Amino acid sequence: MENAIKVTGLRKVFDQHAAIEDISFSVKPGEIFGLLGPSGSGKTTTIKILTGELGQTAGDVYVLDINAPLFGTADFKSRIGILSDNSSLYERLTVYDNLKLFCKLYDAPLEQIEVMLDEVNLKEARSKVVSKLSKGMKQRVLLAKALIHKPELVFLDEPTSALDPGNAAHIHRGLQKLNEAGTTIFITTHDMEEATELCDRVAFLDKGKIQELGSPDELRYKYSTHAFHVETFDDERLVIENEAGNADKIRDLIANGEVKSIQSDNPTLGQIFLKVTGKELV
Amino acid sequence: MNTQRIGAIFEKDIKDFMKNMMLLMMPIVPIILALIYSRLGEGEELPIPMLYLIVGVTFSSVTASCMMTMMAEENEKKTLRGLMLSPASFMDIIIGKSLVVGLMTFIALAISLFFAGVKPFLSVQAIIGLILLFLFFLFLGIGIGLFTKSVASTSAYLMPVMFLFGFTPMIEFFGLGEDSIAITIADLFPIMQLIKMHDTNSWVPIGVVAIWTIGAALFTYICFKKERTDD
């Protein structure tokens, strides 16, 4: 399989309003791909089309080499995992009973329940009724539910949005482990640190169009001014261009003991997003 | 269809049913009604329309009401989408749920008829009629549950279902003339057809109820097609 996801000329129109306008991208097997964009940019619409919840107006969509019209088949559904804003749990049932239901629906061994409870740090809450859990704990159960059948491809819509930093870090480690085992991950997030830490490649989506696409390192290099920011002990801030002629200038500053700090210009994904789209990612 | 998935949904729904006070109260309604009616006749057998009134209350308050509440809750809490995105087919989901509702209906109907009188229903024709009537109310419950977005709004749909299809024999107490258009229309309703069935050897009443059931099944199918995607 050459691509886990291949989207060509995708367009989605709701009541004469184009939510997605002619987007194309592909995701390689084993890749973590991040779709970043503000609310209303078309991220959720894209995920819904990729998971078969929504039909496209135009364009070709292939997921795991399966064409969009066949997304309703049990074979396709058993190969993907989804955590989206539409994901929910049975509030009157326990954590264990919720996971047991999906284990059976996906024909996964029941031992997977314990494995997943361990992965999401919820072993002690297995007998708790879901309605008694905090929002963060529910989010972790939803994640366990999405991964319980060891899918080849996982769609995660803001997976750590309700989690505290400790649990978010725990989930990040789990996702990296999952990815190392070969699972392809398609993720949407507002959290630039999360995208930088997890994603092999990211796409910036705004107004239904992909505005930029590449690895976080590539994008940072592309949008860097390639200058050095030097702060001296006299509290002077110098911007020195990365040019051969400036090498002596930097060397002299260091030799004279004037340099308090020196940094290369390395914009964050958030700064790049602002530069590309003119808006903050909130 | 997949029996393991049907079993998983049945197991989940029966656990959920047992923890839902609103649903647990529903099977009690026809039993209380049957108890009250059984005391009225002082040892005499209840007339057929009275018995079908109990049947109608059972199917509307247990079958249709429980099914539409369960479906509407799945819709409201967005858990139905989770099931539909899993390998379970719509048939697996519906059969799993219907088994729970069917079990509860059977228990409620058996106890109610134990008090009210089971004898008139001990014929092949009557049993087929009851099965078709159960399916009619089941499909209505599924369909309404699919298009209502909250449990609270199901009561707005349950009332017309109960009064039109559950309490149809009560129309006789309204004092309308036999030629009244309301009586003529009501005579075509499923329960009235089943009451008629006891006065004839004809299978026509069963055929009419079957048409109602097919109509309800089509209504469910249309609601499902609308719910399946966000388009």
Side-chain angles (χ1 to χ4, degrees):
Chain A
M1 185 167 53
E2 198 185 337
N3 292 300
I5 299 173
K6 182 147 182 67
V7 172
T8 316
L10 177 63
R11 189 173 148 80
K12 178 69 189 176
V13 179
F14 292 108
D15 298 327
Q16 297 180 337
H17 163 74
I20 302 282
E21 285 195 73
D22 193 25
I23 67 169
S24 300
F25 64 90
S26 59
V27 179
K28 300 275 174 222
E31 194 174 27
I32 302 185
F33 186 90
L35 191 61
L36 316 178
S39 302
S41 60
K43 298 190 304 286
T44 302
T45 302
T46 308
I47 278 201
K48 281 186 170 180
I49 292 170
L50 294 176
T51 54
E53 289 176 75
L54 209 57
Q56 73 267 40
T57 307
D60 280 330
V61 180
Y62 284 87
V63 176
L64 301 172
D65 274 347
I66 296 171
N67 199 1
L70 299 173
F71 286 177
T73 61
D75 173 51
F76 175 77
K77 289 170 176 178
S78 61
R79 292 171 69 191
I80 63 165
I82 307 164
L83 167 63
S84 74
D85 60 344
N86 270 335
S87 301
S88 195
L89 297 163
Y90 293 96
E91 298 272 324
R92 282 184 287 268
L93 301 185
T94 63
V95 170
Y96 184 87
D97 283 337
N98 267 278
L99 294 180
K100 188 180 172 189
L101 167 68
F102 285 90
C103 229
K104 286 187 169 179
L105 291 181
Y106 282 97
D107 205 13
L110 289 179
E111 297 83 68
Q112 265 298 103
I113 300 173
E114 297 303 329
V115 175
M116 288 319 302
L117 285 173
D118 198 27
E119 285 290 328
V120 297
N121 215 6
L122 276 176
K123 267 203 154 168
E124 268 136 51
R126 68 198 299 278
S127 304
K128 275 194 178 173
V129 174
V130 167
S131 60
K132 306 274 183 214
L133 300 180
S134 68
K135 202 178 169 197
M137 288 167 98
K138 282 182 190 171
Q139 184 77 351
R140 283 186 277 155
V141 182
L142 285 171
L143 190 61
K145 182 187 118 178
L147 304 175
I148 202 151
H149 55 296
K150 296 185 183 170
E152 289 172 56
L153 169 62
V154 188
F155 293 94
L156 304 172
D157 196 0
E158 307 278 353
T160 56
S161 59
L163 303 183
D164 58 76
N167 275 312
H170 188 86
I171 295 298
H172 288 165
R173 283 195 295 276
L175 291 177
Q176 277 161 339
K177 216 166 100 184
L178 192 75
N179 180 246
E180 280 160 19
T183 308
T184 309
I185 299 174
F186 186 96
I187 188 169
T188 70
T189 179
H190 284 122
D191 186 342
M192 290 296 111
E193 277 183 40
E194 180 172 75
T196 312
E197 187 187 335
L198 287 177
C199 299
D200 298 312
R201 284 190 308 140
V202 294
F204 290 164
L205 191 66
D206 188 41
K207 293 172 188 159
K209 288 180 180 169
I210 289 183
Q211 309 286 351
E212 192 55 273
L213 195 155
S215 74
D217 283 345
E218 280 169 4
L219 295 180
R220 278 203 301 259
Y221 184 77
K222 183 177 173 184
Y223 287 92
S224 167
T225 57
H226 310 298
F228 296 102
H229 294 254
V230 179
E231 189 182 357
T232 69
F233 284 107
D234 297 332
D235 285 337
E236 200 180 350
R237 289 167 195 273
L238 307 169
V239 179
I240 303 171
E241 293 300 319
N242 185 359
E243 291 166 3
N246 286 333
D248 287 345
K249 199 171 172 183
I250 294 173
R251 193 183 55 218
D252 289 348
L253 282 168
I254 295 170
N256 295 336
E258 290 177 59
V259 176
K260 192 176 174 185
S261 71
I262 183 165
Q263 289 164 344
S264 61
D265 178 57
N266 202 9
T268 63
L269 285 183
Q271 288 166 331
I272 299 169
F273 190 87
L274 182 65
K275 203 168 185 175
V276 172
T277 65
K279 48 180 93 156
E280 298 229 28
L281 201 53
V282 284
Chain B
M1 268 197 296
N2 180 303
T3 49
Q4 185 183 313
R5 289 176 193 140
I6 292 170
I9 290 162
F10 174 79
E11 188 186 335
K12 180 269 293 179
D13 276 323
I14 200 99
K15 278 181 188 166
D16 209 30
F17 196 103
M18 293 304 173
K19 290 178 180 176
N20 188 336
M21 278 310 286
M22 187 183 156
L23 292 182
L24 272 176
M25 294 309 288
M26 291 302 187
I28 296 170
V29 177
I31 295 171
I32 291 172
L33 188 74
L35 259 173
I36 294 168
Y37 279 6
S38 65
R39 306 270 168 202
L40 296 177
E42 289 177 6
E44 283 178 31
E45 277 186 6
L46 283 175
I48 295 291
M50 283 287 215
L51 287 175
Y52 272 99
L53 189 65
I54 292 167
V55 169
V57 170
T58 308
F59 285 159
S60 55
S61 72
V62 184
T63 314
S65 169
C66 288
M67 198 62 181
M68 71 173 76
T69 305
M70 285 162 78
M71 295 300 291
E73 190 176 13
E74 295 258 17
N75 241 334
E76 186 178 357
K77 305 267 171 72
K78 296 179 180 173
T79 45
L80 185 61
R81 187 55 63 91
L83 292 180
M84 282 175 157
L85 288 172
S86 81
S89 67
F90 183 64
M91 284 303 281
D92 295 338
I93 299 167
I94 291 305
I95 293 171
K97 286 188 177 300
S98 300
L99 287 174
V100 176
V101 172
L103 181 67
M104 294 304 160
T105 306
F106 178 77
I107 292 169
L109 191 64
I111 298 173
S112 301
L113 294 184
F114 171 77
F115 291 124
V118 74
K119 229 172 162 186
F121 300 99
L122 298 177
S123 73
V124 176
Q125 227 180 8
I127 290 169
I128 293 172
L130 285 181
I131 291 170
L132 284 173
L133 197 64
F134 165 74
L135 291 175
F136 168 74
F137 279 98
L138 187 73
F139 288 134
L140 273 189
I142 297 166
I144 294 171
L146 278 172
F147 76 72
T148 49
K149 295 296 171 202
S150 71
V151 176
S153 59
T154 55
S155 51
Y157 297 99
L158 180 63
M159 286 302 138
V161 168
M162 274 187 112
F163 284 102
L164 281 173
F165 300 111
F167 294 134
T168 330
M170 297 281 272
I171 198 161
E172 286 179 14
F173 301 113
F174 288 176
L176 301 166
E178 285 215 357
D179 297 336
S180 154
I181 184 86
I183 296 277
T184 313
I185 294 170
D187 270 348
L188 290 170
F189 278 36
I191 284 193
M192 298 307 272
Q193 289 293 314
L194 291 186
I195 292 170
K196 231 180 225 177
M197 178 187 74
H198 286 268
D199 298 329
T200 168
N201 286 327
S202 165
W203 283 80
V204 172
I206 293 282
V208 175
V209 180
I211 292 168
W212 278 97
T213 307
I214 292 165
L218 282 173
F219 164 71
T220 302
Y221 181 73
I222 293 163
C223 294
F224 162 69
K225 290 297 270 184
K226 226 173 151 282
E227 171 59 26
R228 204 178 72 84
T229 68
D230 287 339
D231 282 314

